[in-house]
Amino acid sequence: MMQESGTEATSNGPANQNGGTSLESVPREGRPKSATPSVEVTAVDLLHVQQHQALQMARQILLQQQQQQQQSQQMQPNTGRKSPKINDKQQSLQVPVSVAMMTPQVITPQQMQQILQQQVLSPQQLQVLLQQQQALMLQQQLQEFYKKQQEQLHLQLLQQQQQQQQHAGSKQSKEQQVSAQQLAFQQQLLQVQQVQQQHLLNLQRQGLLTIQPGQTSLPLHSLTQGMIPAELQQLWKEVTNAHVKEEHNNSSSNNGHRGLDLSSPAPPKNPLLNQHVSTNGQYMSHKREGSTLEDHSPHGHPLYGHGVCKWPGCEAVFDDFQSFLKHLNNEHALDDRSTAQCRVQMQVVQQLELQLAKDKERLQAMMTHLHVKSTEPKATPQPLNLVSNVTLSKTAPEASSPLSLPQTPTTPTAPLTPLSQTHSVITANSLHSVGPMRRRYSDKYNMPISPDISQNKDFYMNTDVRPPFTYASLIRQAILESPEKQLTLNEIYNWFTRMFAYFRRNAATWKNAVRHNLSLHKCFVRVENVKGAVWTVDEIEFQKRRPQKISGSPALVKNIQTSLGYGSTLSAAFQASMAENTTPLYTTASTLNSLANAIREEMNGAMDHGNSNGSDSSPGRSPLPAMHHISVKEEPLDPDDHEGPLSLVTTANHSPDFDHHRDYDDDQGHDDML
DNA sequence: CATGTCTTAAACAAAC
DNA sequence: AGTTTGTTTAAGACAT
């Protein structure tokens, strides 16, 4: 119980950190409040701040790129591809002012275009950026709309008052008119509020905005804060007024005009956009269901749903479709505003499509890359194998050549891409996500981690990521990397900390684990020494301890191959170690083990690793309780002595005094070595 | 669901 | 007396 929580805590900690340092970090974290202009922290403010952050980032990147570009193409007027505005970008970057929007947060289409084209942002970032842009634009339109409404309302009220005062007893008709107008405005106001609320809700659902439920109520005041009435009014006029005839163009280009609509909050009307968004990325789901609803509307008009006009910012309510159509024709006809909206929307869609295309492309590239790699994995491991050559003892065949080299464990080989994998299956797993740790293990069971380790050496050395290998694998690697294939506990510790940034923390935990593993696994053989003891690896045991699942996996083949070529390699290793250690009795003992095991291995041949062997391997190791304190674990008194090979091993090094005496003498003899 | 592996935690003991 | 090194046991998470 306690352990569990503790476990989770420790394991989560690192995971989180990883997330934070890596891509996951979307602009939602802590950010300075200074960005918020208004005093009270409202939902809108929060939104702004978030957006601001994201945009800030994007802008910075853009700026940098701009500078670079400028440097490269300094005096060139505008080679700009599309618009001549490119020159202005520098400006607009710092104070971006899009046509209809005034707040600095908005990224101009050009900027967006650039971001997209240059792919300076990750897909996720882009996603967020786009979403936020949309949200922001909506927000702004809402602001403007509301502002305008308020002002008009004010005006109306004033007028009304004046009129009332002046013509105290004037005609009712006039009064009625006025009050009717008033009512209309109030209604509109209400609508706006609704729209806004919906919008906010949507934002919340999208994760763009995180506020407590209670806060959802509209901070209308804040919306109007800091706005310049005149400008707003004008803008609003531009955007809202103007009625002409045919809205058909719009409906025909229907898909195009909706991104920034005020009505976006309302259930979606534009399936296309939704599609894009959803195809594109992760945030969607939310408005999906809604869209189908609108089919209810008799004619399935995309701008009409639930008796509400869904034209951006309209939300007028209609009892029947006819009146809606009429309204549509009258209110939302072809004019500057509409076209402008359409244009903007088109751009949005374009960008989304562009992004989608890019992402698709990228995905394709990734897939092909990984595929290719999986087919020709050999290419990578070899050059990198300087370090892992020790691995040879296991991955015999290829290693034979590097064997001659004295390993240089410490030299940081220049690995390829850090994330490249030897075992490149294209599963999400193989992208060994930085996140959670253990789950990946099943794979690595089968695989020779060594190449992977060496390939990603730099990566693991510098990144606080938990390596996807078991302690046993790592320990083995550490030991095998050592010149003498033996390490003291402390040296193992050091290897861990040296090779993995991850193991520079929580020392108590992982050290305990290391010790535990050393003791637990038969494959680690402790050889005593004056100074204490060194640990060696019994390759055979190591191999033995994880056969089952191998079936089918390429690793299996490799393993089998390995085992076949084993004898020679091992003997080579043996020779090497012998050469290094002049008369190391203890070494001899352990190596002897290996050798014997190797022989046994060869005898058993390929089937050894398969399943047939399961019978002898597993029983062999478990029932050996007694002889733990003996320096060489190879239990001489193995109950099931059936296995010929094993008994062979046993005979080779078992005699009790062999251990003790020898240890003694050896130690002294070996001190120099150590 | 049973089983095996891996990890983490922790108690203990012997050696340093 | 405190630390290191080893050994064990227990238990939870995962994968098969």
Side-chain angles (χ1 to χ4, degrees):
Chain A
M1 324 144 99
M2 303 277 293
Q3 295 149 349
E4 190 194 343
S5 63
T7 302
E8 302 230 308
T10 49
S11 55
N12 282 344
N16 288 339
Q17 286 189 6
N18 297 335
T21 53
S22 64
L23 306 175
E24 252 184 284
S25 60
V26 194
R28 61 154 38 169
E29 295 210 291
R31 71 286 172 181
K33 298 171 185 174
S34 54
T36 321
S38 64
V39 188
E40 34 174 338
V41 182
T42 65
V44 179
D45 295 333
L46 285 176
L47 180 63
H48 271 291
V49 175
Q50 286 182 341
Q51 290 166 344
H52 186 71
Q53 268 204 326
L55 299 182
Q56 204 68 17
M57 181 182 65
R59 229 174 276 133
Q60 275 186 352
I61 296 172
L62 280 177
L63 255 179
Q64 289 175 356
Q65 293 202 338
Q66 221 94 65
Q67 287 169 357
Q68 288 175 356
Q69 275 191 2
Q70 280 200 346
Q71 284 176 0
S72 60
Q73 49 170 267
Q74 265 194 341
M75 298 305 287
Q76 288 186 7
N78 25 340
T79 340
R81 10 201 147 163
K82 289 186 177 180
S83 64
K85 298 177 183 176
I86 290 195
N87 267 350
D88 304 338
K89 260 190 252 159
Q90 194 82 25
Q91 266 191 356
S92 52
L93 281 178
Q94 296 175 358
V95 188
V97 179
S98 68
V99 198
M101 322 302 169
M102 333 201 38
T103 37
Q105 277 91 354
V106 178
I107 291 182
T108 66
Q110 289 80 17
Q111 291 173 318
M112 183 65 86
Q113 197 77 17
Q114 241 214 338
I115 294 179
L116 290 174
Q117 285 178 352
Q118 311 217 354
Q119 294 197 355
V120 290
L121 298 180
S122 75
Q124 294 87 352
Q125 289 171 324
L126 278 174
Q127 192 94 30
V128 172
L129 195 62
L130 275 175
Q131 291 175 21
Q132 291 184 338
Q133 279 296 300
Q134 268 190 290
L136 181 58
M137 295 208 243
L138 285 168
Q139 195 67 52
Q140 287 173 339
Q141 285 194 344
L142 282 173
Q143 285 181 6
E144 292 153 13
F145 180 46
Y146 177 74
K147 178 68 182 172
K148 162 83 179 179
Q149 294 293 324
Q150 249 199 350
E151 302 223 332
Q152 287 195 356
L153 189 59
H154 250 299
L155 224 87
Q156 295 295 328
L157 286 175
L158 276 179
Q159 284 181 357
Q160 193 186 359
Q161 282 179 358
Q162 285 178 355
Q163 286 172 357
Q164 282 177 350
Q165 284 175 357
Q166 285 176 4
H167 323 284
S170 69
K171 302 152 191 178
Q172 283 192 347
S173 59
K174 216 173 186 176
E175 237 179 316
Q176 281 176 342
Q177 267 191 348
V178 175
S179 55
Q181 270 184 318
Q182 234 179 318
L183 263 179
F185 276 114
Q186 281 173 349
Q187 263 190 339
Q188 266 186 309
L189 248 182
L190 273 178
Q191 286 173 8
V192 176
Q193 288 185 10
Q194 285 175 352
V195 169
Q196 282 186 318
Q197 283 187 350
Q198 279 182 341
H199 180 211
L200 286 178
L201 273 176
N202 263 351
L203 289 181
Q204 277 188 80
R205 278 194 279 174
Q206 293 176 22
L208 288 178
L209 185 58
T210 46
I211 49 177
Q212 304 88 322
Q215 263 178 310
T216 318
S217 62
L218 267 195
L220 289 177
H221 332 295
S222 70
L223 283 181
T224 60
Q225 279 182 2
M227 308 282 289
I228 306 171
E231 286 177 331
L232 283 179
Q233 269 195 336
Q234 175 125 30
L235 278 174
W236 179 245
K237 272 177 195 161
E238 286 179 9
V239 179
T240 314
N241 288 333
H243 322 284
V244 197
K245 20 353 190 4
E246 19 182 332
E247 87 289 353
H248 264 11
N249 334 341
N250 293 342
S251 60
S252 64
S253 61
N254 232 333
N255 303 329
H257 78 267
R258 172 255 152 73
L260 345 159
D261 0 326
L262 306 168
S263 58
S264 76
K269 42 196 89 209
N270 183 345
L272 189 108
L273 177 59
N274 284 332
Q275 269 183 10
H276 278 294
V277 173
S278 54
T279 3
N280 199 352
Q282 26 274 15
Y283 103 93
M284 69 259 118
S285 61
H286 51 298
K287 23 175 95 175
R288 237 320 139 43
E289 318 102 342
S291 67
T292 53
L293 294 181
E294 72 192 44
D295 296 337
H296 292 341
S297 69
H299 305 64
H301 197 295
L303 287 176
Y304 182 67
H306 296 96
V308 175
C309 171
K310 299 203 170 176
W311 183 270
C314 181
E315 294 274 330
V317 183
F318 301 96
D319 293 335
D320 57 282
F321 189 67
Q322 295 305 324
S323 50
F324 159 72
L325 276 182
K326 197 173 179 181
H327 157 84
L328 193 59
N329 286 328
N330 290 334
E331 304 293 317
H332 311 302
L334 175 62
D335 59 8
D336 290 348
R337 175 183 62 94
S338 303
T339 44
Q341 281 185 324
C342 277
R343 233 177 277 130
V344 178
Q345 179 61 21
M346 280 173 67
Q347 278 197 320
V348 170
V349 173
Q350 265 184 4
Q351 283 155 5
L352 285 172
E353 280 173 339
L354 205 139
Q355 184 193 347
L356 174 63
K358 295 245 174 192
D359 276 343
K360 273 184 177 171
E361 212 176 308
R362 189 181 302 186
L363 173 64
Q364 194 58 44
M366 289 166 69
M367 299 277 281
T368 48
H369 169 71
L370 293 179
H371 264 304
V372 167
K373 246 195 152 171
S374 66
T375 55
E376 48 162 17
K378 296 176 184 175
T380 48
Q382 283 194 342
L384 306 173
N385 255 355
L386 285 183
V387 175
S388 65
N389 50 11
V390 191
T391 317
L392 75 164
S393 53
K394 173 182 189 169
T395 357
E398 348 139 69
S400 50
S401 54
L403 171 71
S404 50
L405 304 177
Q407 38 263 107
T408 51
T410 41
T411 43
T413 58
L416 306 181
T417 55
L419 289 181
S420 67
Q421 298 279 308
T422 339
H423 42 291
S424 39
V425 195
I426 309 188
T427 66
N429 292 333
S430 61
L431 301 175
H432 65 189
S433 50
V434 181
M437 29 173 235
R438 343 164 147 204
R439 58 176 36 196
R440 187 59 257 116
Y441 285 138
S442 55
D443 275 6
K444 60 171 191 280
Y445 267 28
N446 314 324
M447 6 216 59
I449 38 142
S450 318
D452 191 288
I453 287 185
S454 53
Q455 275 183 38
N456 303 326
K457 197 173 175 182
D458 275 351
F459 176 71
Y460 291 126
M461 272 199 300
N462 301 316
T463 314
D464 188 15
V465 175
R466 186 189 183 98
F469 311 109
T470 62
Y471 280 111
S473 303
L474 291 174
I475 295 170
R476 167 178 167 274
Q477 181 68 16
I479 294 174
L480 292 185
E481 273 189 17
S482 72
E484 303 177 23
K485 279 89 183 169
Q486 51 178 294
L487 289 178
T488 65
L489 178 65
N490 199 44
E491 287 167 339
I492 295 176
Y493 288 162
N494 292 336
W495 185 86
F496 269 67
T497 48
R498 183 169 15 104
M499 302 296 288
F500 300 92
Y502 179 83
F503 292 119
R504 286 163 205 157
R505 305 158 39 240
N506 299 326
T509 298
W510 64 260
K511 282 181 177 176
N512 186 16
V514 167
R515 289 195 305 274
H516 173 242
N517 274 266
L518 282 172
S519 294
L520 187 67
H521 298 302
K522 254 176 60 175
C523 58
F524 299 120
V525 181
R526 194 184 100 111
V527 180
E528 282 210 20
N529 178 354
V530 171
K531 287 179 169 182
V534 291
W535 290 92
T536 61
V537 179
D538 182 338
E539 270 302 315
I540 305 309
E541 280 303 323
F542 186 83
Q543 303 280 328
K544 248 163 70 173
R545 68 194 190 91
R546 27 95 175 219
Q548 326 141 271
K549 51 201 68 189
I550 301 185
S551 61
S553 88
L556 169 61
V557 182
K558 204 169 182 180
N559 268 340
I560 292 181
Q561 288 175 344
T562 299
S563 70
L564 288 178
Y566 217 11
S568 56
T569 317
L570 234 181
S571 56
F574 177 68
Q575 286 176 2
S577 77
M578 286 303 278
E580 286 171 357
N581 312 320
T582 6
T583 51
L585 286 183
Y586 69 91
T587 313
T588 311
S590 64
T591 349
L592 222 74
N593 279 342
S594 304
L595 186 56
N597 284 334
I599 295 171
R600 180 261 234 105
E601 181 90 2
E602 268 195 321
M603 290 174 69
N604 285 346
M607 69 171 214
D608 182 14
H609 280 297
N611 321 321
S612 59
N613 158 344
S615 58
D616 58 38
S617 71
S618 51
R621 51 130 96 123
S622 47
L624 71 146
M627 304 306 295
H628 246 322
H629 299 320
I630 305 181
S631 30
V632 178
K633 263 190 193 167
E634 220 52 276
E635 61 305 336
L637 342 163
D638 191 286
D640 340 37
D641 268 337
H642 312 323
E643 349 171 31
L646 233 186
S647 56
L648 202 167
V649 174
T650 302
T651 51
N653 66 331
H654 70 313
S655 77
D657 55 352
F658 178 95
D659 289 330
H660 296 312
H661 286 49
R662 192 235 315 128
D663 282 352
Y664 236 69
D665 301 336
D666 287 353
D667 295 337
Q668 292 169 352
H670 281 302
D671 266 344
D672 5 314
M673 307 281 315
L674 309 170

